[in-house]
Amino acid sequence: MSESYPSQAKSTAAKASQVNVLLCPLCGEANGCSYAAGRPHSECWCNHAEFPEGVFDRIPAEQRRKSCICQRCLESYTDQAEHKQEPHS
């Protein structure tokens, strides 16, 4: 009798379906998403935030567009991006 193992695609799909929309996909902490918590999107902190190019590239592909990043991860990315752009004296 042979054992069958799930394919890589099925495994990836299972992980993606287990995404908790209330957690940041980068740090795993609460993301503060009002919409995911059942409140109007207009109440969300992200409506007043700027998301620099590249910030979402850090999210694993199977988790993109499944849950929001948190404000702390956004601020951390923004700080790192600003330090890279500052000229060295």
Side-chain angles (χ1 to χ4, degrees):
M1 188 164 142
S2 68
E3 292 184 38
S4 70
Y5 294 95
S7 70
Q8 182 69 17
K10 287 182 183 177
S11 178
T12 301
K15 287 179 187 175
S17 69
Q18 296 174 3
V19 171
N20 184 334
V21 296
L22 298 175
L23 300 180
C24 174
L26 298 176
C27 70
E29 298 295 322
N31 59 19
C33 180
S34 296
Y35 185 71
R39 296 189 312 272
H41 187 270
S42 60
E43 293 179 11
C44 199
W45 67 268
C46 70
N47 284 315
H48 307 288
E50 290 186 34
F51 294 85
E53 185 176 335
V55 70
F56 300 114
D57 294 343
R58 292 181 150 186
I59 301 171
E62 68 273 4
Q63 293 183 2
R64 288 185 193 147
R65 301 186 160 285
K66 305 259 190 277
S67 65
C68 299
I69 65 170
C70 69
Q71 191 169 6
R72 186 175 63 184
C73 285
L74 173 62
E75 290 170 356
S76 175
Y77 181 85
T78 302
D79 289 346
Q80 289 175 2
E82 287 175 359
H83 288 293
K84 286 181 181 179
Q85 293 178 358
E86 291 179 4
H88 297 288
S89 39

